[in-house]
C-alpha cells in the first residue's frame, strides 16, 4: 500500500498584499503516486493578478514603506530568517513536495528542501554586496554607477523542483530589493503556498511576495501585465518562446531557463563503474524530469557493449516504488499527461528502430492508480531519432556509440538544446578539450548533476539565456545606473 500522510493539507488560497484571499475559480492538485486529489487550490484570474501587481507596485514604490526603508543588512537578516523557517519545517515541506510531485522522499528531504535553505542563505549574504563603481572620466567630473532593483518581477516556475526552483528566483529577487509575483506550476503549488505562510511569519512586509496559483492563463496574465518589469521563467522551450513574444509589447526584461537534452559522454579510458553510476543518476534522478538530465548517453564503441551490460543490470534493480518510502529511488511521474508523453516517446523509439534494452512500460506500485514508468534504456540509437533530439522529461535514456573526440563533439552539439553535459575520462586534457568544445551552459567532468548555490546555472541555444544561482543572477534583478556630477 502507498503510505498515508500525516501532513495537513488545506485548500490553497492566493497571497495578495499579505492576506490570503479566495480566487474566483479553483483547480485540483493530484497525488501522482495514487491518482487521488490532494486538495483544491485557487486559480488566479487576470483581475487577481492585477491586484497582486498593484500590491507589489505599492510595496516597491512607497519610499516610506517597510520594504524601501529596510537596510540591505536588515533585508539579508529577513531572508536568513526565512531560510531558518524553511529548515525548521523541512520534514513537512519535504513530504508536501513528494505528495504533490511524486518524487522520492529522500530527494525532497536531502536535496530539494535543504538546497532551498542554502540558496536563500547564499542570497541573504548578497544583500550587502551589491555594489556600484566609480569610473575615471574627466578632470572636472565625478562619475559612478549604482545597481537598483529592477522593479516588480514575475516569477514563473515549473513542477519538477517546485520550491527549489522558486528559491533560485526568489533569493536574488529579494536580495536585490524587488517585489514579487510568484506563480508555481498548477501541478505542484503546495510547498509554495506553505512557503507563503512562512514568509508572513518571517516578517516579510505586505506586498513584497504575492503568490498567484493557476495554470497557463494565470501565467499569460503575468507576462502581459504592464506593471511588471521583469519575467524570470523556468519551463519548456515552447512556453519560453511564447513568453518572450508576450513580454515584447511591454519590453519586459526576460530570463529563461528552458529544456535540455544533455549529452553524457563516456570514454573507454574512464572509470567505467563510476561512469555507470553517473549515467544512472544522470537520467533516473528526479524520474528523469530534470532539465539537466543526461538523456543522451554517448559511449565509446570499444567499451560500448560492456558498459551497456553493466548499465542495464543496474537499471533493472531500480524499480519505481512508493515515493514516501525512504528507500525509494524512483518515484511517480508528475501527472497522467506527462506519463502519456513519456510512454509516447517510448513507442516512437521502438518505431524508429532503437533497441529497447530495459523497461519500456508503465509500472504498477502496490496496485495503486499512480503514474509510474519503468526505468527505460534504448541502445542502437542514432542522433536523428526523435528520442535523441527531443526532450522526453522522463526516465528514458537514449544510448549511442562513437569512435573519437571529433565525432562525439559533433554529435553532442548537433541538437537544439545546450543546457548541460558530462564527460568521463581519466585523461584530464581530453576532458578539458571536450568541456571547451561542448555548446552547453555547464559541463561536469567525472561526475553528474553536482550543484551549488554559488555556481551559475543556465543554458546555451534553445535552453534559454540568463543565469540563475551565483553572483550573475544579481545582474538580472537590478538595473545599472550611471551618474555624472559636474564638479565645475
Ligand atoms: P511549462 O513550460 O509547461 O510550464 C512552466 C510554467 O509556465 C508553469 O508554471 C505553467 O503554468 C506556466 N505556463 C504555461 N504556459 C504559459 C504561458 N503561455 N504563459 C505563461 N506561463 C505559462 O513547463 P513544465 O511542463 O511545467 O516543466 C517542464 C519543462 O521545464 C521542461 O521542458 C524542462 O526542461 C524545463 N525546466 C528547465 C529548467 C532549467 O533550469 N533550464 C529547470 C526545470 C525545468
Amino acid at each position: 500500500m502507498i503510505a498515508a500522510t500525516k501532513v495537513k493539507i488545506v485548500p490553497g488560497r492566493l497571497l495578495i498584499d499579505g492576506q490570503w484571499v479566495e480566487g474566483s475559480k479553483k483547480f485540483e492538485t493530484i497525488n501522482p503516486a495514487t491518482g487521488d486529489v490532494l486538495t483544491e487550490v485557487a486559480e488566479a484570474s487576470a483581475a487577481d493578478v492585477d491586484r497582486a501587481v498593484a500590491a507589489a507596485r505599492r510595496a516597491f514604490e512607497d519610499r516610506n514603506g517597510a520594504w524601501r526603508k529596510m537596510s540591505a543588512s536588515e533585508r539579508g537578516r529577513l531572508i536568513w530568517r526565512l531560510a531558518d523557517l524553511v529548515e525548521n519545517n523541512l520534514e513537512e515541506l519535504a513530504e508536501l513536495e513528494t505528495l504533490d510531485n511524486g518524487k522520492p522522499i529522500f530527494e525532497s528531504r536531502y536535496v530539494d528542501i535543504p538546497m532551498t535553505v542554502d540558496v536563500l542563505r547564499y542570497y541573504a549574504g548578497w544583500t550587502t554586496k551589491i555594489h556600484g563603481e566609480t569610473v575615471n572620466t574627466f578632470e572636472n567630473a565625478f562619475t559612478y554607477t549604482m545597481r537598483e532593483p529592477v522593479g516588480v518581477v514575475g516569477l514563473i516556475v515549473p513542477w519538477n523542483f517546485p520550491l527549489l526552483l522558486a528559491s533560485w528566483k526568489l533569493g536574488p529577487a529579494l536580495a536585490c530589493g524587488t517585489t514579487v509575483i510568484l506563480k508555481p506550476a498548477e501541478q505542484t503549488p503546495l510547498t509554495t503556498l506553505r512557503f507563503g505562510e512562512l514568509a508572513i511569519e518571517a516578517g516579510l512586509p505586505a506586498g513584497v511576495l504575492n503568490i498567484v496559483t493557476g495554470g497557463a492563463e494565470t501565467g499569460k496574465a503575468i507576462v502581459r501585465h504592464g506593471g511588471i518589469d521583469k519575467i524570470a521563467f523556468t519551463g519548456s522551450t515552447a512556453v519560453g518562446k511564447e513568453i518572450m513574444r508576450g513580454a515584447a509589447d511591454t519590453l519586459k526584461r526576460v530570463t529563461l531557463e528552458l529544456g535540455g537534452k544533455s549529452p553524457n559522454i563516456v570514454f573507454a579510458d574512464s572509470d567505467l563503474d563510476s561512469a555507470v553510476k553517473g549515467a544512472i543518476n544522470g537520467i533516473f534522478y528526479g524520474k528523469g524530469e530534470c532539465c539537466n538530465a543526461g538523456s543522451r548517453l554517448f559511449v565509446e564503441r570499444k567499451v560500448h557493449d560492456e558498459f551497456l551490460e553493466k548499465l542495464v543490470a543496474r537499471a533493472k534493480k531500480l524499480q519505481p516504488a512508493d515515493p514516501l518510502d525512504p528507500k525509494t529511488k524512483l518515484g511517480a511521474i508528475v501527472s497522467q499527461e506527462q506519463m502519456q508523453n513519456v510512454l509516447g516517446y517510448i513507442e516512437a523509439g521502438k518505431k524508429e528502430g532503437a533497441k529497447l534494452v530495459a523497461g519500456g512500460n508503465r509500472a504498477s506500485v502496490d496496485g495503486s492508480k499512480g503514474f509510474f514508468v519503468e526505468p527505460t534504456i534504448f541502445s542502437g540509437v542514432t542522433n536523428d531519432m526523435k528520442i535523441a533530439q527531443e526532450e522526453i522529461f522522463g526516465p528514458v535514456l537514449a544510448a549511442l556509440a562513437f569512435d573519437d573526440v571529433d565525432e562525439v563533439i559533433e554529435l553532442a552539439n548537433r541538437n537544439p538544446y545546450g543546457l548541460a553535459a558530462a564527460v568521463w575520462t581519466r585523461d584530464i586534457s581530453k576532458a578539458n578539450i571536450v568541456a571547451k568544445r561542448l555548446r552547453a551552459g555547464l559541463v561536469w567532468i567525472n561526475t553528474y548533476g553536482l550543484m551549488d548555490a554559488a555556481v551559475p546555472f543556465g543554458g546555451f541555444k534553445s535552453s534559454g539565456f540568463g543565469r540563475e544561482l551565483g553572483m550573475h543572477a544579481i545582474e538580472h534583478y537590478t538595473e545599472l545606473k550611471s551618474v555624472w556630477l559636474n564638479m565645475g
Side-chain angles (χ1 to χ4, degrees), residues 150-359:
V150 70
V152 176
V153 298
L155 313 181
I156 303 178
V157 179
W159 43 255
N160 56 344
F161 293 87
L163 191 59
L164 179 57
L165 292 181
S167 77
W168 289 19
K169 300 178 189 329
L170 267 175
L174 296 177
C176 293
T178 69
T179 56
V180 173
I181 312 295
L182 171 61
K183 192 193 91 58
E186 57 274 36
Q187 296 85 351
T188 54
L190 297 183
T191 47
T192 302
L193 291 169
R194 181 70 184 107
F195 181 88
E197 293 179 350
L198 299 177
I200 294 173
E201 193 179 332
L204 207 65
V208 173
L209 171 64
N210 303 276
I211 299 175
V212 289
T213 39
E217 289 312 312
T218 307
K220 285 181 197 169
I222 294 172
V223 170
R224 67 171 174 258
H225 201 290
I228 294 181
D229 301 284
K230 174 203 161 60
I231 299 287
F233 171 74
T234 300
S236 60
T237 296
V239 173
K241 289 179 186 175
E242 217 178 307
I243 285 184
M244 234 177 129
R245 281 191 289 270
D249 276 346
T250 44
L251 222 63
K252 289 184 180 65
R253 283 86 184 106
V254 177
T255 43
L256 302 173
E257 297 281 4
L258 308 176
K261 189 75 185 175
S262 301
N264 191 7
I265 301 171
V266 180
F267 284 98
D269 63 357
S270 63
D271 170 347
L272 289 191
D273 289 331
S274 299
V276 167
K277 280 188 213 150
I280 291 280
N281 184 37
I283 185 63
F284 299 127
Y285 185 85
K287 314 161 257 164
E289 294 167 347
C290 299
C291 49
N292 58 357
S295 50
R296 287 186 296 155
L297 175 71
F298 292 93
V299 185
E300 194 170 348
R301 202 174 307 275
K302 277 187 260 183
V303 293
H304 176 273
D305 293 354
E306 177 193 349
F307 191 88
L308 262 284
E309 204 175 298
K310 288 176 187 238
L311 188 75
V312 167
R314 233 187 146 88
K316 284 188 172 162
K317 284 197 204 133
L318 187 74
Q319 287 311 312
D322 179 359
L324 283 174
D325 183 335
K327 293 191 293 300
T328 296
K329 293 284 185 286
L330 191 66
I333 302 296
V334 72
S335 64
Q336 183 154 23
E337 186 190 356
Q338 184 62 10
M339 180 183 68
Q340 294 306 344
N341 286 343
V342 173
L343 294 172
Y345 274 108
I346 294 174
E347 283 314 306
K350 289 195 229 164
K351 272 209 195 86
E352 284 179 306
K355 188 171 165 207
L356 185 63
V357 290

